[in-house]
Amino acid sequence: MARLNTFFLHPEDWPEYAGNEVSLDKAESRHMLKVLRTAVGTQVRLFDGLGRYGMFRVDKAERNKAQLVAESLFRQDAPSVNLWLALGWSKSSRRGFLLEKAVELGVAGIWFWQADHSQGRLPDAVKETWTDRCIQAAKQCGSVFLPEIMMISGGLSGLQAKCSQFDQTFLAWEKEDFRNLLAPDHFTEGNSLVVIGPEGGFSESEAEQLVRGGMEPVSLGQSILRWETAALYCLSLSFHRRSLREVAS
């Protein structure tokens, strides 16, 4: 059976019961009707980014408005191993690439914060294009979850104020002994946060403050990694750990 085309439905529009009608937003409707030329009566898959998904049938197609009827609705439990990344802001042309791969590897959240060595100023809000990249990546890989993307105000202090919600926190520090490598076993069941500096790395005062605050310093190896490579390294370790737990269960 061919894979069903997948579209995003905003969580606030998610139907309560099978048989309910829903409408896609303009962008998703256009993609369904104009780009993919989906005909009335076609069955498609919708997801809301919070773990809910279902099979829907196209009921009406009017220019840039697609209306569908829910046929079967499901909910997927959140993973037991969850990783957030807190990335020091960098002016990176590879940010979109990182967001896509982060979705594919199951990141729970990506936070951006203003570091001492950040290039430029942290934006005030998450850009719509970033969310769209995540949605497209989720469609491609079949994920029903979208990551929490957040801009953390207040610099390092603002970041530290949010660390108490995690079961374990790690500082990916280039000056840590490379024998103390971050490994899949670091990601135990629950919520983990890994803090990564910007392209210029952490300042000494930032690293010292984070360690004093209870963050465990870890190494990512002997190589000096780019911003997005360090993030993907951490994501891959967490993905490996989560996959092993899913196989065991």
Side-chain angles (χ1 to χ4, degrees):
M1 180 178 177
R3 180 176 175 179
L4 294 177
N5 286 329
T6 297
F7 302 90
F8 175 68
L9 180 67
H10 293 279
E12 59 269 23
D13 297 326
W14 194 259
E16 189 173 359
Y17 303 107
N20 290 165
E21 293 186 352
V22 299
S23 297
L24 297 183
D25 66 17
K26 185 176 180 179
E28 289 293 272
S29 292
R30 185 181 184 283
H31 186 229
M32 172 185 284
L33 303 176
K34 301 296 184 182
V35 178
L36 298 180
R37 299 184 181 277
T38 307
V40 170
T42 301
Q43 187 183 57
V44 298
R45 177 178 178 269
L46 302 188
F47 76 108
D48 75 341
L50 299 178
R52 295 180 294 189
Y53 66 101
M55 304 307 159
F56 292 71
R57 194 164 298 278
V58 181
D59 185 50
K60 296 178 183 178
E62 302 174 356
R63 293 180 64 85
N64 289 327
K65 183 178 182 181
Q67 292 182 291
L68 306 93
V69 176
E71 295 189 325
S72 54
L73 302 173
F74 309 94
R75 179 187 290 273
Q76 182 173 316
D77 293 334
S80 60
V81 177
N82 292 291
L83 173 63
W84 273 257
L85 294 177
L87 306 174
W89 178 253
S90 290
K91 284 186 176 180
S92 175
S93 61
R94 300 175 295 277
R95 187 174 298 105
F97 167 83
L98 171 58
L99 290 172
E100 290 177 354
K101 301 312 168 189
V103 172
E104 292 177 30
L105 292 171
V107 72
I110 296 180
W111 296 351
F112 296 105
W113 60 283
Q114 186 77 37
D116 288 345
H117 294 162
S118 284
Q119 303 163 336
R121 301 301 302 174
L122 184 75
D124 293 329
V126 175
K127 295 185 178 180
E128 186 176 335
T129 54
W130 301 351
T131 302
D132 185 62
R133 292 291 285 266
C134 291
I135 290 172
Q136 300 311 316
K139 291 180 182 179
Q140 180 66 32
C141 71
S143 175
V144 294
F145 292 100
L146 292 175
E148 174 191 54
I149 305 178
M150 185 182 296
M151 317 306 286
I152 304 297
S153 60
L156 190 64
S157 297
L159 174 62
Q160 285 188 296
K162 292 185 172 292
C163 289
S164 60
Q165 70 186 71
F166 295 97
D167 298 296
Q168 48 268 329
T169 57
F170 304 101
L171 169 67
W173 193 22
E174 62 273 13
K175 294 188 178 181
E176 177 62 16
D177 190 326
F178 73 86
R179 289 169 293 188
N180 185 27
L181 280 171
L182 183 66
D185 288 345
H186 280 94
F187 300 112
T188 57
E189 189 164 330
N191 299 321
S192 300
L193 173 71
V194 177
V195 179
I196 296 174
E199 288 287 359
F202 295 100
S203 67
E204 290 288 343
S205 61
E206 284 174 331
E208 291 172 1
Q209 187 173 332
L210 288 170
V211 173
R212 284 198 307 270
M215 196 164 287
E216 179 182 348
V218 291
S219 172
L220 302 185
Q222 297 187 65
S223 296
I224 298 176
L225 303 180
R226 286 182 179 270
W227 179 76
E228 75 280 4
T229 308
L232 291 174
Y233 178 93
C234 298
L235 286 164
S236 298
L237 296 177
S238 175
F239 182 79
H240 177 73
R241 175 67 171 181
R242 186 170 61 253
S243 298
L244 288 178
R245 292 185 68 83
E246 290 172 354
V247 169
S249 62

